[in-house]
């Protein structure tokens, strides 16, 4: 039996009143939505959409092209002189990431960019965390299921909105900030989200140009300064390009780096196959200033294991348990200012694992034997708990 849920909150979204269909019972609507979310999870291979955000007088846009499980292209647009101008760009392809931004104004404009090589798997980079509209993968659908089943979200009604039928969802009473979201009945993807923040600040997200499994290919991953300049429509413009090393190298678990004294646990999950494993030396990485400022224990390494089923992917990060040293490359705590967050503790036989879910993401953290483990990705809550039980058995010597 699940333990009591501990709900913490940070950022989500309120809305305008729309025409509802009161004849539809809420229990029936909830059952319909749950069935839809379960049916759609893991079925989308690629997705394009836009998002328009209104935050007081500020208006900005975002454009996404996602190809699951580990590729995306992203543009952030701001209103300048009455036009929407791309000012930021991000792309990921496997273990490579590009981030670029337009700085300055008028004639004093420059392009700053980073090419990140050998980064951890997609949800472990921190780059993924910053793109909080990453919807459409199984992680998105399962996160909604968990929040509905955990009571953080409830179905209010079936409504017509902008010519489409939608499920109207609202955050549970007492959770803050108050949140409302409208999901299309055809695919379970959001049409609109709204929120009210402190001091009455209202933020509205409107989604459009949605295309599931679009015929157009993903644009090429930009690798040079010239290609990055072209992304911003500034062919020939100079680009300040900084190449960084994530120090996450492909290698099997059996090739434990010398001096680590760390043997990772290697679980199996029904229906999934191993898609790769990596060893990372964070002390050798220059991805972030926070990592460079840390003093890592001698021989400290991270081990990453990828499990994949079609377009679904789970990322497992393992590190040795070191007394008085805590270190995470990911964590939903980073989103504490951006999401409604629901937390749960699994039972002892599942390693007392902490399962955390937000609107678009899930994460599990646990200790099994002398190994600290973080799991993210396209798993259902049940699969997360199953994996936690497997880790506990492996740590106890019961493969």
């Amino acid at each position: 039996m699940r333990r009591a849920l501990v709900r913490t909150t940070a950022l989500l979204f309120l809305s305008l009143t729309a025409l509802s269909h009161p004849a539809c019972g809420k229990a029936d609507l909830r059952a319909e939505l749950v069935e839809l979310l379960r049916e759609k999870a893991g079925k989308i291979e690629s997705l394009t959409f836009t998002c328009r955000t209104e935050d007081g007088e500020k208006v900005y846009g975002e454009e996404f092209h996602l190809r699951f499980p580990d590729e995306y292209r992203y543009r952030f647009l701001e209103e300048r002189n009455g036009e929407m101008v791309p000012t930021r760009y991000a792309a990921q392809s496997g273990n490579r990431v590009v981030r670029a931004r337009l700085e300055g104004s008028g004639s004093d404009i420059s392009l700053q960019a980073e090419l990140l090589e050998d980064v951890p798997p997609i949800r472990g980079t921190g780059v993924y965390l910053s793109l909080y509209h990453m919807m459409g993968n199984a992680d998105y659908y399962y996160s909604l299921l968990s929040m509905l089943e955990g009571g953080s979200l409830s179905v209010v009604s079936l409504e017509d909105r902008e010519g489409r039928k939608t499920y109207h969802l609202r955050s549970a009473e007492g959770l803050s900030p108050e949140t409302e979201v409208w999901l299309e009945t055809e695919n379970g993807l959001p049409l609109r989200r709204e929120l009210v923040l402190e001091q009455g600040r209202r933020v509205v997200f409107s989604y459009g140009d949605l295309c599931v499994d679009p015929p157009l290919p993903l644009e090429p991953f930009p690798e040079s300064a010239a290609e990055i300049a072209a992304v911003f429509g500034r062919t020939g413009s100079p680009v300040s390009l900084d190449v960084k090393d994530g120090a996450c190298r492909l290698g099997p678990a059996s090739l434990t780096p010398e001096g680590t004294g760390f043997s990772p646990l290697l679980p199996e999950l029904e229906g999934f196959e191993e898609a790769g494993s990596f060893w990372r030396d964070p002390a050798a990485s220059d991805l972030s200033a926070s990592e460079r400022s840390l003093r890592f224990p001698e021989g400290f390494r991270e081990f990453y294991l990828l499990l994949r089923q079609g377009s679904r992917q789970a990322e497992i990060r393992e590190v040795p348990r070191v007394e008085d040293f805590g270190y995470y490359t990911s964590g939903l705590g980073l989103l504490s200012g951006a999401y409604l967050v629901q937390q749960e503790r699994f039972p002892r036989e599942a390693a007392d694992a902490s399962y955390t879910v937000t609107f678009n993401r899930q994460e599990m953290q646990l200790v099994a034997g002398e190994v600290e483990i973080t799991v993210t990705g396209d798993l259902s809550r049940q699969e997360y708990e199953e994996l936690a039980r497997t880790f506990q058995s492996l740590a106890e010597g019961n493969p």
Side-chain angles (χ1 to χ4, degrees):
M1 181 179 293
R2 298 192 197 178
R3 298 186 178 184
L5 298 178
V6 180
R7 301 185 186 105
T8 60
T9 57
L11 177 75
L12 225 97
F13 321 131
L14 189 98
S15 176
L16 302 173
T17 303
L19 180 63
S20 63
H21 299 265
C24 297
K26 292 183 181 179
D28 291 340
L29 288 178
R30 182 185 183 280
E32 288 175 10
L33 177 56
V34 165
E35 183 180 357
L36 173 68
L37 297 175
R38 285 179 178 157
E39 194 277 327
K40 291 296 182 181
K43 300 296 177 61
I44 297 177
E45 295 183 358
S46 185
L47 182 69
T48 61
F49 64 96
T50 61
C51 179
R52 174 184 169 89
T53 301
E54 301 169 63
D55 183 359
E57 296 182 355
K58 297 179 181 178
V59 177
Y60 59 86
E62 294 165 288
E63 298 176 355
F64 290 85
H65 189 168
L66 315 175
R67 189 167 69 192
F68 305 117
D70 63 353
E71 294 205 48
Y72 65 76
R73 306 292 185 265
Y74 167 81
R75 286 175 172 81
F76 180 93
L77 302 94
E78 296 181 66
E79 193 171 25
R80 294 189 176 185
N81 299 322
E83 294 185 12
M84 298 300 290
V85 178
T87 58
R88 278 186 276 163
Y89 177 83
Q92 181 151 356
S93 181
N95 294 79
R96 308 184 75 205
V97 173
V98 161
R99 295 187 293 192
R101 64 188 184 277
L102 197 64
E103 293 193 341
S105 60
S107 59
D108 187 23
I109 290 180
S110 63
L111 278 172
Q112 307 291 322
E114 297 174 323
L115 173 60
L116 315 180
E117 303 274 14
D118 291 335
V119 300
I122 187 166
R123 295 171 183 85
T125 63
V127 180
Y128 187 99
L129 289 174
S130 67
L131 305 178
Y132 52 87
H133 296 303
M134 299 290 271
M135 64 191 198
N137 57 354
D139 202 7
Y140 161 82
Y141 286 105
Y142 285 132
S143 70
L144 280 174
L145 278 168
S146 287
M147 298 192 85
L148 283 167
E149 293 171 347
S152 293
L153 287 174
S154 62
V155 181
V156 178
S157 59
L158 186 67
E159 300 182 1
D160 290 328
R161 191 164 193 103
E162 299 176 23
R164 300 185 184 184
K165 279 188 167 48
T166 65
Y167 293 104
H168 178 192
L169 277 60
R170 180 179 295 149
S171 56
E173 185 177 354
L175 296 185
S176 176
E178 296 177 36
T179 298
E180 293 186 78
V181 59
W182 286 260
L183 304 179
E184 294 192 37
T185 58
E186 181 181 354
N187 50 40
L189 295 170
L191 181 65
R192 184 181 180 92
R193 292 191 288 174
E194 298 187 13
L195 60 97
V196 176
L197 302 180
E198 294 180 359
Q199 299 178 340
R201 175 186 169 194
R202 180 181 292 271
V203 183
V204 179
F205 300 89
S206 302
Y207 300 91
D209 304 313
L210 182 71
C211 185
V212 175
D213 296 329
L216 69 160
L218 202 65
E219 68 182 11
F221 182 85
E223 302 188 41
S224 67
E227 290 171 329
I228 292 171
V231 165
F232 287 85
R234 296 177 174 271
T235 303
S237 297
V239 178
S240 175
L241 180 60
D242 188 12
V243 179
K244 295 185 176 181
D245 180 14
C248 190
R249 318 290 187 217
L250 187 68
S254 58
L255 295 181
T256 305
E258 186 177 354
T260 62
F262 165 50
S263 296
L265 301 174
L266 302 175
E268 294 183 355
L269 187 61
E270 184 178 357
F272 284 76
E273 296 181 353
E274 181 178 333
S277 59
F278 305 83
W279 286 96
R280 181 171 187 255
D281 179 3
S285 169
D286 58 1
L287 283 185
S288 69
S290 61
E291 279 191 330
R292 291 195 297 270
S293 66
L294 285 175
R295 184 183 296 275
F296 291 93
E298 185 68 27
F300 184 87
R301 295 292 188 276
E302 300 173 352
F303 175 75
Y304 287 91
L305 176 66
L306 294 186
L307 301 178
R308 191 172 292 174
Q309 181 192 71
S311 61
R312 297 172 68 195
Q313 176 172 289
E315 304 95 16
I316 299 171
R317 171 187 175 270
E318 302 183 32
V319 298
R321 188 178 185 184
V322 181
E323 188 174 355
D324 299 326
F325 181 76
Y327 168 72
Y328 296 97
T329 56
S330 67
L332 294 183
L334 296 175
L335 296 177
S336 61
Y339 277 85
L340 181 71
V341 177
Q342 174 180 290
Q343 291 183 308
E344 177 184 354
R345 280 283 179 186
F346 290 158
R348 177 175 296 181
E349 56 269 25
D352 289 317
S354 170
Y355 170 69
T356 305
V357 56
T358 73
F359 189 79
N360 296 51
R361 262 204 64 191
Q362 305 165 96
E363 180 176 283
M364 180 175 70
Q365 293 186 351
L366 66 146
V367 175
E370 296 303 314
V371 182
E372 293 186 0
I373 301 163
T374 302
V375 184
T376 54
D378 300 310
L379 304 178
S380 67
R381 180 206 170 278
Q382 291 74 21
E383 287 170 326
Y384 273 101
E385 184 171 346
E386 177 186 341
L387 198 54
R389 291 174 186 269
T390 300
F391 274 120
Q392 181 77 351
S393 294
L394 290 172
E396 293 172 350
N398 302 311

